[in-house]
Amino acid sequence: MKGTRWLIVLIVIVIAIGALFVGKYNTLVEMEEKVNSSWAQVENQLKRRADLIPNLVETVKGYASHEEEVLTQIAEARSSFNKANTPNEYAEANAELERALTNLYAVVENYPELKANQNFSDLQYELAGTENRIATERMRYNESVEEFNKTIRRFPTNIIAGMFGFESKQYFEIDEQDMEVPEVNF
Amino acid sequence: MKRKYILLLFLAVIFFNTISYAADINIPEPSFYFYVYDEANLLNDEAEEYIIKTNEELYKKTGAQIVIASLNSLEGEDIRLVALKIFEKWGIGSREYDNGLLMLIAPNEGEIWVEVGYGLEGTLPDSKVGRIIEDSIIPYFKEDNYQEGIISGFNEIIQEVEEEYGIQLKRENINEDLYNIGEYDESIGLFQGIRVILIVIGIIVFLIIDFKFFNGFLTYSIFLRGNRYGGSYRSSSSGSRRNKGGGGRSGGGGAGGKW
């Protein structure tokens, strides 16, 4: 009598652990989906800004056409942005673009007429808003990546993650190794 | 001895199932009437009433919510981040359309940020919001005339929102249920089923352990407590018209200014 009761308890516990594993697997799927959708949002906002830039360049050219250096820098940053594929590459291209834009804003200070231009001030608001959107979506993306990466490394989910091949995700940030190590060609 | 191990295993299962994440930075709770949170005391009763009444009608008709908040201090945080966190926590605008807007003012820092929900970004692009701030709000703020600046900006924003929904408003019977604080439509699937199974199993295991080790003491005490407090729900006083956020989201869109 006593033996059967404990057998039942044991079976119940085994079922509970089995159910827990299925639940954890589903959680991992959901979390991975969340990482993907947050990444899509980051990409959307990055594209949105890239789309604003030709317009900005045109407007600036109307007033400061001889500031070629800054304008070329922006064009280059934009083309390397178009080539980016992974979150790290996007983050680097993004940083480059941000530097170029900062330089542009510095130059603009010398052209009061340009600053007074309605079209230009609209563009500046749009760019500032888009930059804030990028910051927001990047923060959300990184949070979802952090949560996901933590979960797949934590016991007991790491077992499930290993079984089903869940891999940790890249943060949207500049890889410092990439920045520091110079390219050497022999 | 064996029993203790089983109990430990049981506890471990519960433990792994309930690990939670750390809390966020300090964000105030929304006010009772929701639409005005005036920590820095920039508005008089009449102005607050106007904003609340206008919003109640707007919410009924469109699900949109335009919230005004002022803070005494940003505590060194970026105003845009604070606005985003408030927006996230309060859930401004309806969940279906994310058509909320938050005007956050920090008079002591001399900063304003208007955070626009995803659903209103088309109606109120950053440049338009920027111009409203520049032309209709900041000039008043510069003269310490906060109330007039807020109301003037609020009216400009309301006007844009009215125009946006102008055609829709003619459809008299917009389903109000759409904008209620409903339950999240979580996908009911295998996962949900497993939750239920887990809970049932948990209860069974609990009962077995309780009756085995404590002669059912825990179960009895739960039932006794349940009886004592059951059925004595505080009757909600009629006439209270507390407002709540609809669960809308934003993504950092909007504009700001300093004075």
Side-chain angles (χ1 to χ4, degrees):
Chain A
M1 200 53 215
K2 211 177 174 190
T4 36
R5 193 178 289 174
W6 279 111
L7 193 67
I8 290 168
V9 172
L10 203 71
I11 289 168
V12 160
I13 287 170
V14 167
I15 291 171
I17 291 172
L20 185 75
F21 267 51
V22 177
K24 289 285 181 199
Y25 173 78
N26 284 344
T27 311
L28 283 182
V29 172
E30 269 169 42
M31 286 174 93
E32 193 174 39
E33 212 37 61
K34 195 180 164 204
V35 170
N36 291 341
S37 67
S38 334
W39 175 251
Q41 281 291 74
V42 173
E43 233 174 305
N44 271 346
Q45 298 306 336
L46 288 172
K47 290 220 170 82
R48 178 195 173 109
R49 180 168 66 185
D51 290 344
L52 284 171
I53 282 174
N55 219 336
L56 179 80
V57 168
E58 278 311 302
T59 314
V60 172
K61 263 186 190 161
Y63 291 83
S65 53
H66 52 278
E67 300 282 357
E68 268 170 37
E69 201 183 321
V70 187
L71 295 173
T72 344
Q73 199 186 354
I74 286 184
E76 275 169 13
R78 195 167 171 259
S79 73
S80 76
F81 174 85
N82 284 338
K83 276 182 244 150
N85 274 321
T86 65
N88 273 347
E89 284 167 15
Y90 267 113
E92 272 160 41
N94 189 46
E96 198 184 327
L97 198 54
E98 249 152 47
R99 274 195 299 275
L101 281 173
T102 313
N103 288 345
L104 178 78
Y105 292 146
V107 166
V108 163
E109 287 301 312
N110 301 325
Y111 299 87
E113 278 173 40
L114 175 56
K115 275 172 77 184
N117 178 295
Q118 179 78 56
N119 195 13
F120 183 71
S121 81
D122 278 3
L123 273 169
Q124 263 189 316
Y125 275 121
E126 294 293 341
L127 275 167
T130 306
E131 249 143 61
N132 195 45
R133 284 188 185 89
I134 293 170
T136 302
E137 302 300 354
R138 177 173 59 193
M139 183 180 75
R140 286 184 181 160
Y141 170 75
N142 282 344
E143 276 169 7
S144 70
V145 169
E146 190 190 350
E147 212 172 304
F148 180 78
N149 287 357
K150 256 196 220 161
T151 308
I152 65 169
R153 285 168 64 181
R154 194 189 282 137
F155 181 82
T157 9
N158 58 350
I159 300 166
I160 300 154
M163 266 158 55
F164 293 98
F166 287 98
E167 278 172 13
S168 59
K169 304 275 180 191
Q170 240 177 38
Y171 286 97
F172 184 83
E173 61 185 13
I174 299 161
D175 199 334
E176 271 166 35
Q177 276 181 329
D178 283 4
M179 294 292 281
E180 279 163 14
V181 179
E183 257 190 69
V184 185
N185 291 316
F186 291 103
Chain B
M1 268 333 270
K2 244 184 201 167
R3 291 171 186 180
K4 258 188 193 155
Y5 285 128
I6 289 170
L7 187 67
L8 273 178
L9 189 65
F10 178 58
L11 287 177
V13 168
I14 290 177
F15 174 73
F16 284 121
N17 222 9
T18 54
I19 292 170
S20 60
Y21 295 92
D24 242 325
I25 46 171
N26 250 356
I27 294 297
E29 294 293 329
S31 68
F32 186 81
Y33 292 115
F34 189 71
Y35 298 108
V36 180
Y37 178 89
D38 195 11
E39 194 180 286
N41 221 351
L42 306 177
L43 297 166
N44 65 23
D45 289 352
E46 215 176 308
E48 284 194 19
E49 177 92 8
Y50 166 68
I51 292 168
I52 292 164
K53 281 266 148 67
T54 313
N55 260 300
E56 281 172 351
E57 198 191 337
L58 181 70
Y59 188 60
K60 242 181 221 169
K61 287 184 172 155
T62 67
Q65 294 181 313
I66 314 294
V67 174
I68 312 291
S70 72
L71 291 177
N72 279 324
S73 166
L74 296 171
E75 285 156 20
E77 291 284 349
D78 188 327
I79 190 167
R80 295 173 297 180
L81 185 66
V82 177
L84 184 80
K85 292 281 171 190
I86 292 180
F87 207 115
E88 247 173 28
K89 182 169 179 180
W90 295 4
I92 303 169
S94 72
R95 180 175 299 116
E96 283 79 9
Y97 302 109
D98 293 323
N99 48 359
L101 184 142
L102 171 71
M103 187 194 290
L104 178 65
I105 301 138
N108 296 321
E109 279 93 346
E111 286 188 53
I112 180 172
W113 178 261
V114 174
E115 175 88 10
V116 182
Y118 284 122
L120 285 179
E121 285 184 353
T123 322
L124 289 158
D126 303 342
S127 51
K128 198 175 260 176
V129 177
R131 238 175 295 141
I132 289 174
I133 292 170
E134 214 172 290
D135 300 341
S136 309
I137 299 178
I138 300 265
Y140 293 105
F141 282 9
K142 273 187 177 152
E143 295 164 4
D144 279 344
N145 199 345
Y146 290 110
Q147 177 159 308
E148 215 153 313
I150 290 168
I151 295 294
S152 132
F154 178 76
N155 283 339
E156 292 277 337
I157 290 163
I158 285 285
Q159 206 182 315
E160 296 293 338
V161 175
E162 275 176 342
E163 261 173 49
E164 169 74 14
Y165 288 103
I167 313 150
Q168 287 193 324
L169 277 179
K170 281 176 193 159
R171 279 189 250 144
E172 291 288 343
N173 293 325
I174 285 180
N175 186 3
E176 277 184 37
D177 290 342
L178 259 183
Y179 311 109
N180 277 344
I181 338 276
E183 47 278 82
Y184 286 95
D185 51 322
E186 275 176 38
S187 52
I188 307 158
L190 184 62
F191 190 52
Q192 215 75 344
I194 283 161
R195 276 260 163 94
V196 173
I197 292 170
L198 267 183
I199 289 166
V200 170
I201 288 170
I203 290 170
I204 291 169
V205 172
F206 173 80
L207 286 176
I208 291 170
I209 288 171
D210 185 29
F211 278 94
K212 201 83 196 163
F213 295 100
F214 308 107
N215 288 327
F217 173 75
L218 294 175
T219 313
Y220 285 130
S221 53
I222 288 168
F223 266 100
L224 283 179
R225 238 184 79 198
N227 278 345
R228 202 181 305 153
Y229 293 108
S232 66
Y233 274 93
R234 209 181 297 165
S235 57
S236 56
S237 56
S238 56
S240 90
R241 42 186 194 106
R242 186 187 188 109
N243 296 313
K244 279 179 183 165
R249 295 162 308 140
S250 75
K258 291 179 186 183
W259 69 91

